[in-house]
Amino acid sequence: MPGKRVPADRPFLTEPRPEGEQASGTAPDALFDLAVNRACAALRGLRPADPAGALAAWHARTRFARRIGLDAVKAALDAHPGAGAWHWAGGPDGGWTAGRAPFP
């Protein structure tokens, strides 16, 4: 819009905090898969100097991801096989599967 400026450093609506890292219940497997796959894509796109900090900020500002504990997302990302196209499938007990996710 004319006359409006967007700040260079957009603040997050929710700042990362330890108490926000724990999920307060169970979530469907598809939601877990989505959180892991979106977190992986965010880190791949951002290529942050501090991946843990960027992941915490992403988790804090992403409403659906907060239903999944940050530690569970981190554990899944730590198991990523590396180069190539991979996606997480199967919920918390799932794993990395070759190829792209069936939905973004």
Side-chain angles (χ1 to χ4, degrees):
M1 295 180 76
K4 292 207 176 204
R5 292 182 184 237
V6 176
D9 183 25
R10 297 181 194 178
F12 295 124
L13 296 176
T14 307
E15 292 296 326
R17 296 185 315 249
E19 59 271 14
E21 295 178 3
Q22 301 303 320
S24 60
T26 60
D29 286 353
L31 188 63
F32 185 92
D33 297 350
L34 183 64
V36 172
N37 290 324
R38 292 273 177 95
C40 185
L43 291 178
R44 186 174 56 246
L46 292 172
R47 296 182 187 172
D50 174 21
L55 182 61
W58 175 87
H59 187 266
R61 77 172 197 263
T62 306
R63 188 177 305 187
F64 76 88
R66 287 180 281 175
R67 292 187 54 199
I68 309 298
L70 181 56
D71 288 340
V73 174
K74 284 180 184 177
L77 292 174
D78 287 345
H80 193 279
W86 295 91
H87 69 277
W88 186 272
D93 297 324
W96 291 100
T97 302
R100 294 186 177 266
F103 54 90

